[in-house]
Amino acid sequence: MGWLADLDRGVFDLVFPRDCAVTLEPMDEEERLHLSADGANQLARIGDPRCLTCGHPFEGILEGDRACPHCLDLQPAFARAVCAFRARGPARRIIHRIKYERCPFLADDLAHAALTDDIFRRHLAGSVLVPVPLHAARRFDRGYNQAERIAMVLAKYVAGCRAEFLLRKQHETISQPRLGRQERRKNVAGAFVIADGMSVDPATRYVVIDDVLTTGATLHACAVTLRKAGATHVDAAALAHG
């Protein structure tokens, strides 16, 4: 089904001219194929103040230390997570299209746009990017894993990065959006293992990659697996924080 992921390319673009996924205006000749500069500017960015561990954005002006409810509850196995966008408005709609409307090409453009965030780019630099895996049945049904596409795009444009598919999801789980915070953690606990034939280098910095970070449960579960396998430097990143 891999060819289905790229139906928007080549001759298909000639028959059905491309519009920006945000503005819905026709695309000019730009580096991104489905997200114009104007469209990217409409995506809600994450700025400071934010949690320095999970990237959770705080509202207003932060005076002194503020405990992050996500980290107090999760105690994440990753050292730090950084996200570029808030999963609201246009960014949320794009992510929904990527996951549920067979639009993997939007993951490429959203990842490319995320790299205009200097903090996000620096967070990735020099690391091995490890995409969150899908269970084999889910991947076959969808035809692609958006986290893999995101990791490959990020690795292409960030200095010193490479993507490695180190993890395998050994059993299917319930879709996370239907679950509460504690249920999400239980749902993915033990779901990930090191993929067959793969190993972890204790001297390497790994960054687990996903499309969206909500409670951090999935990224935490992946980080736990990497640490149990011997990784000592594990961070995380997602395109959007929801």
Side-chain angles (χ1 to χ4, degrees), residues 177-227:
R178 307 174 187 175
L179 305 177
R181 187 183 303 275
Q182 294 299 329
E183 292 174 315
R184 288 175 182 239
R185 291 183 62 183
K186 293 178 181 178
N187 187 44
V188 294
F192 304 102
V193 295
I194 298 297
D196 296 343
M198 304 301 288
S199 62
V200 167
D201 179 2
T204 296
R205 176 173 173 259
Y206 296 96
V207 178
V208 185
I209 300 293
D210 208 356
D211 54 351
V212 63
L213 186 161
T214 305
T215 66
T218 300
L219 292 169
H220 166 72
C222 290
V224 167
T225 299
L226 291 172
R227 288 194 181 278

Side-chain angles (χ1 to χ4, degrees), residues 53-54 76-83 120 123-124 127-134 145-148 150-152 154 161-168 192-194 200 204-213 216-227 231 233-240:
T53 299
C54 76
F78 52 80
R80 186 183 185 193
V82 173
C83 304
F120 186 81
H123 180 66
L124 303 178
S127 66
V128 169
L129 308 182
V130 182
V132 172
L134 290 178
N145 176 0
Q146 69 275 9
E148 290 180 2
I150 291 165
M152 292 174 69
L154 297 178
C161 277
R162 70 180 187 274
E164 292 188 2
F165 303 163
L166 292 179
L167 300 176
R168 175 174 63 85
F192 304 102
V193 295
I194 298 297
V200 167
T204 296
R205 176 173 173 259
Y206 296 96
V207 178
V208 185
I209 300 293
D210 208 356
D211 54 351
V212 63
L213 186 161
T218 300
L219 292 169
H220 166 72
C222 290
V224 167
T225 299
L226 291 172
R227 288 194 181 278
H233 309 282
V234 183
D235 290 311
L239 298 187

